[in-house]
Amino acid sequence: MSVISRLPSLFVAHGGGPFPVLGDPAHVGLTEALKRLPRELNIEKPKAILVVSAHWEESILTVTSGSNPPLIYDYYGFPPESYKLEYPAPGNPALANKVATLLKNAGIECREDPTRGFDHGVFIPLMLTYPDSTVPVVQLSLISSLDPELHLKVGEALAPLREENILIFGSGMSFHNMSVFMKNMGGGVSKKVDPKSVEFDDYLKTAAGVCSASSCTSSSVLSLEERRAMLVNWKRGPSAVYAHPREEHLLPMMVAFGAASGDLGSIILSDTLLGAQVTSFAFGTVKPGECEAAPQ
């Protein structure tokens, strides 16, 4: 993979609650993908991480601005050790202020919250990706209107951070139908996959600009405008509302895509999780002609 001059923006599948850090067999593929992500993408020491998690919504965009944010154990019914997990990453008030300023300069209202902590969409994937918890972390909420166009604009406003060694980390799921997940819970590792999840996953891959290793040219992917329109109109995709009965877990992809500034997506996870196809993307790690096979 080529050396890159700015950090990629990521859309990462964060799995079910704390399962990825508890050794759940169904999450092994996802867990291992998160562990190897910094080395594979050459992002082992970012200056800071800006996480957009599916698990925080506000009517006005809000960014954590505390120096030492606590953890929010916003999951239920898991083993006692799940509520004793620690991830003491420092906050970064200066970055929080810069995030708010970039958004306001783009005409998007944003406020700072010095008391808000990190939800599990932040600390669970980062426990695996940056386990030493020394890289400063700031979290940005979703907007409760769940407007895909607005979240794309959020990412576009934040794109300059990639030039400053700031990692933009969208934490959600490419598929999030809890009925499907619950039906397959407790079944261990299974490669049986819901075909509707594959349909929508393929739609997201096209929108991300993923191209096959055998045909990765500038003409083998849609234009930025076409791909952006696919995300704005994501509900028109095959089995879209089946894949996301509510879209909060998809919207972090909109932010990552917006921050990509047209960079193509590559696949950093392609696996079956609890009966569904799930995929994670990195934007800005490959260019046409440099495609690589998807990791397994």
Side-chain angles (χ1 to χ4, degrees):
M1 187 171 290
S2 309
V3 175
I4 53 178
S5 60
R6 57 182 176 178
L7 291 192
S9 59
L10 308 180
F11 174 59
V12 171
H14 63 221
F19 277 141
V21 301
L22 297 180
D24 176 58
H27 282 74
V28 168
L30 183 149
T31 296
E32 293 304 313
L34 287 169
K35 287 180 177 179
R36 66 177 181 254
L37 189 150
R39 174 177 47 82
E40 287 195 347
L41 298 186
N42 193 25
I43 52 173
E44 291 165 302
K45 193 63 177 178
K47 180 180 178 181
I49 304 168
L50 174 62
V51 182
V52 181
S53 164
H55 293 279
W56 184 21
E57 300 174 26
E58 297 284 352
S59 58
I60 296 170
L61 272 177
T62 306
V63 61
T64 60
S65 59
S67 297
N68 298 103
L71 300 189
I72 302 171
Y73 301 100
D74 54 337
Y75 41 70
Y76 309 96
F78 289 92
E81 60 266 29
S82 306
Y83 305 93
K84 298 177 183 178
L85 296 171
E86 296 182 0
Y87 192 76
N92 189 325
L95 175 57
N97 182 260
K98 180 155 194 172
V99 167
T101 299
L102 285 170
L103 290 166
K104 290 173 183 176
N105 288 345
I108 303 170
E109 190 174 0
C110 181
R111 66 182 183 90
E112 298 176 40
D113 186 341
T115 63
R116 165 80 188 192
F118 298 144
D119 61 56
H120 78 274
V122 178
F123 69 84
I124 292 298
L126 292 187
M127 285 179 69
L128 297 165
T129 308
Y130 295 100
D132 63 4
S133 68
T134 58
V135 180
V137 178
V138 167
Q139 181 177 0
L140 179 67
S141 75
L142 299 176
I143 308 164
S144 55
S145 67
L146 305 182
D147 180 351
E149 173 76 36
L150 184 52
H151 286 86
L152 285 162
K153 290 180 178 178
V154 168
E156 291 161 359
L158 298 175
L161 296 176
R162 296 175 56 207
E163 306 282 355
E164 301 180 25
N165 202 26
I166 308 297
L167 180 62
I168 297 175
F169 192 104
S171 176
M173 291 288 287
S174 59
F175 180 93
H176 195 256
N177 183 320
M178 289 303 297
S179 295
V180 174
F181 289 153
M182 295 301 293
K183 182 175 67 176
N184 290 280
M185 195 76 73
V189 179
S190 173
K191 293 302 178 182
K192 184 178 180 181
V193 60
D194 188 318
K196 291 184 178 180
S197 73
V198 175
E199 287 181 341
F200 188 67
D201 199 77
D202 287 345
Y203 181 89
L204 291 183
K205 288 172 182 171
T206 301
V210 172
C211 52
S212 70
S214 61
S215 62
C216 191
T217 66
S218 58
S219 61
S220 65
V221 295
L222 298 177
S223 69
L224 171 59
E225 293 75 17
E226 290 170 315
R227 294 187 288 114
R228 192 181 189 282
M230 288 181 71
L231 292 180
V232 171
N233 301 300
W234 70 272
K235 289 185 179 179
R236 298 179 186 174
S239 304
V241 178
Y242 176 84
H244 289 277
R246 191 175 187 273
E247 58 265 43
E248 80 286 344
H249 274 73
L250 182 61
L251 290 177
M253 180 174 178
M254 313 302 185
V255 179
F257 181 97
S261 301
D263 286 344
L264 298 178
S266 61
I267 295 172
I268 51 179
L269 166 73
S270 179
D271 201 9
T272 301
L273 176 65
L274 299 173
Q277 175 67 32
V278 294
T279 299
S280 298
F281 300 101
F283 296 94
T285 60
V286 294
K287 297 177 182 179
E290 296 180 339
C291 288
E292 298 179 354
Q296 299 301 315

